[in-house]
């Protein structure tokens, strides 16, 4: 099984592909701004090049940007402390500049990696079964939209389901978002929550992924306390944070979709 240091290195190498930088850039105490470009090795769901994407593994900020906003972002990240660059009120400064370019801050998330010293199979009062691609082909329904993705179903490669008799009550799935890292998503039916099912499914799937030689990772919005708690209970630890800007048209379309 991979060690924690190997897992961390693989994650930074993937971020380097995503941002068009070097993996060592994330360990520097100096911030760095690079021009975003397309990469065949980037996470498959990313829309590249970025207009403005900020990433921090804790030591600094690496910003992957469009050339026209390079100087603005450089001044922003070199003026404010790392953690304040990802939160209000300082974030309003960047967002005001983005809006002048018809862009806005859109996605803000925390990413988690497994701690192999704490990751273990957790107990569950319900039966858990490992599912291969043919086994979950019929599960692209409303209950499992975090575990499986209808629009990118070709990336979904493995899942673990919890059963109450013949009924699926929880599902953790993973997508092969890049060559080395698979992302975990989790859903549990409302009436079965708070029973430890989510953490049992997440930890079991993470172990299955590691045994296949891949790195499991987990993403949650900072405000999603339930998801963050599940990550930690399952043996994951915070690894990096990310903020992405999108066009106003993109954001307005997302908001309209949510209203519908």
């Amino acid at each position: 099984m991979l060690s924690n240091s190997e897992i961390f290195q693989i994650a930074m190498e993937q971020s380097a592909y995503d941002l068009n930088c070097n993996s060592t850039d994330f360990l520097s105490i100096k911030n760095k701004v690079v021009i975003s470009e397309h990469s065949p090795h980037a996470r498959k769901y990313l829309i590249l090049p970025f207009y403005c994407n900020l990433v921090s593994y804790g030591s600094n900020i690496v910003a992957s940007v469009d050339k026209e906003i390079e100087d603005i972002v450089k001044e922003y990240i070199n003026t404010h402390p790392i953690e304040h660059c990802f939160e209000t009120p300082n974030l309003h400064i960047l967002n005001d500049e983005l809006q002048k370019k018809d862009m806005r801050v859109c996605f803000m998330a925390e990413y988690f990696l497994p701690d192999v010293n704490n990751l273990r199979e957790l107990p569950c009062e319900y039966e858990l079964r490992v599912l291969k691609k043919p086994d979950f082909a019929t599960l692209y329904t409303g209950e499992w939209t975090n575990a499986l993705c209808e629009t990118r179903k070709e990336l979904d490669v493995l899942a673990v389901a919890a059963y109450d008799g013949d009924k699926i009550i929880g599902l953790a799935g993973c997508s092969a978002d890049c060559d080395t890292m698979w992302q975990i998503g989790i859903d549990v039916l409302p009436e079965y929550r708070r029973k430890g099912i989510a953490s049992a499914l997440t930890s079991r799937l993470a172990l299955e992924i590691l045994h296949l030689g891949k790195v499991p990772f987990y993403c949650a919005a900072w405000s999603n306390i339930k998801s963050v708690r599940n990550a930690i209970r399952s043996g994951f630890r915070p690894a990096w944070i990310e903020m992405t800007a999108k066009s106003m048209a993109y954001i307005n379309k997302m908001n309209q979709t949510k209203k519908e």
Side-chain angles (χ1 to χ4, degrees):
M1 186 180 292
L2 294 166
S3 67
N4 281 340
S5 60
E6 289 171 328
I7 288 171
F8 198 72
Q9 180 61 36
I10 289 170
M12 289 192 297
E13 289 172 356
Q14 184 57 51
S15 291
Y17 286 131
D18 299 341
L19 270 64
N20 189 36
C21 66
N22 298 315
S23 61
T24 53
D25 291 337
F26 300 106
L27 300 177
S28 174
I29 61 172
K30 293 183 179 180
N31 296 323
K32 184 163 187 176
V33 178
V34 298
I35 303 303
S36 180
E37 294 183 3
H38 290 281
S39 170
H41 303 295
R43 281 175 283 165
K44 294 179 174 62
Y45 59 86
L46 296 179
I47 301 174
L48 296 177
F50 292 120
Y51 186 79
C52 178
N53 192 72
L54 307 185
V55 171
S56 178
Y57 277 79
S59 298
N60 69 348
I61 296 174
V62 178
S64 185
V65 303
D66 185 277
K67 183 69 176 175
E68 75 169 359
I69 202 169
E70 178 183 11
D71 292 338
I72 291 170
V73 174
K74 186 177 296 183
E75 180 180 2
Y76 175 72
I77 64 176
N78 287 327
T79 300
H80 309 288
I82 296 169
E83 61 277 12
H84 293 176
C85 286
F86 290 87
E87 64 179 14
T88 56
N90 290 156
L91 195 56
H92 289 306
I93 297 170
L94 177 61
N95 198 55
D96 287 347
E97 294 297 329
L98 288 168
Q99 288 191 128
K100 294 175 184 177
K101 309 293 186 181
D102 204 33
M103 307 291 289
R104 282 180 180 166
V105 172
C106 183
F107 299 120
M108 301 167 64
E110 187 170 18
Y111 290 80
F112 298 78
L113 292 172
D115 177 354
V116 296
N117 297 318
N118 288 289
L119 180 66
R120 65 188 187 282
E121 199 167 329
L122 297 175
C124 183
E125 62 181 291
Y126 298 96
E127 179 190 3
L128 303 186
R129 302 179 197 168
V130 176
L131 306 181
K132 302 291 180 64
K133 205 171 184 69
D135 303 322
F136 55 76
T138 61
L139 298 182
Y140 287 89
T141 55
E143 302 95 328
W144 317 118
T145 54
N146 289 312
L148 303 173
C149 183
E150 175 73 30
T151 58
R152 297 193 302 267
K153 61 171 57 178
E154 71 278 2
L155 300 181
D156 294 332
V157 289
L158 190 68
V160 177
Y163 286 81
D164 184 358
D166 293 328
K167 178 184 178 182
I168 296 180
I169 58 173
L171 185 69
C174 65
S175 56
D177 291 340
C178 47
D179 292 340
T180 57
M181 301 179 70
W182 292 359
Q183 182 172 191
I184 292 177
I186 175 74
D187 291 292
V188 176
L189 296 181
E191 62 269 30
Y192 287 91
R193 292 172 186 169
R194 295 185 177 273
K195 295 174 179 277
I197 297 170
S199 55
L201 288 169
T202 303
S203 59
R204 175 66 182 279
L205 182 55
L207 288 167
E208 295 288 338
I209 294 170
L210 283 167
H211 289 152
L212 292 171
K214 305 295 183 180
V215 172
F217 72 105
Y218 187 106
C219 175
W222 292 308
S223 57
N224 194 340
I225 299 299
K226 292 185 297 182
S227 187
V228 171
R229 285 175 176 164
N230 179 57
I232 293 170
R233 279 197 304 265
S234 302
F236 284 73
R237 297 293 179 265
W240 79 94
I241 54 176
E242 200 155 338
M243 186 281 292
T244 307
K246 291 288 187 181
S247 70
M248 289 187 185
Y250 181 98
I251 293 170
N252 289 339
K253 184 177 180 180
M254 286 190 69
N255 286 334
Q256 186 61 40
T257 300
K258 289 177 181 178
K259 287 181 184 179
E260 293 170 354

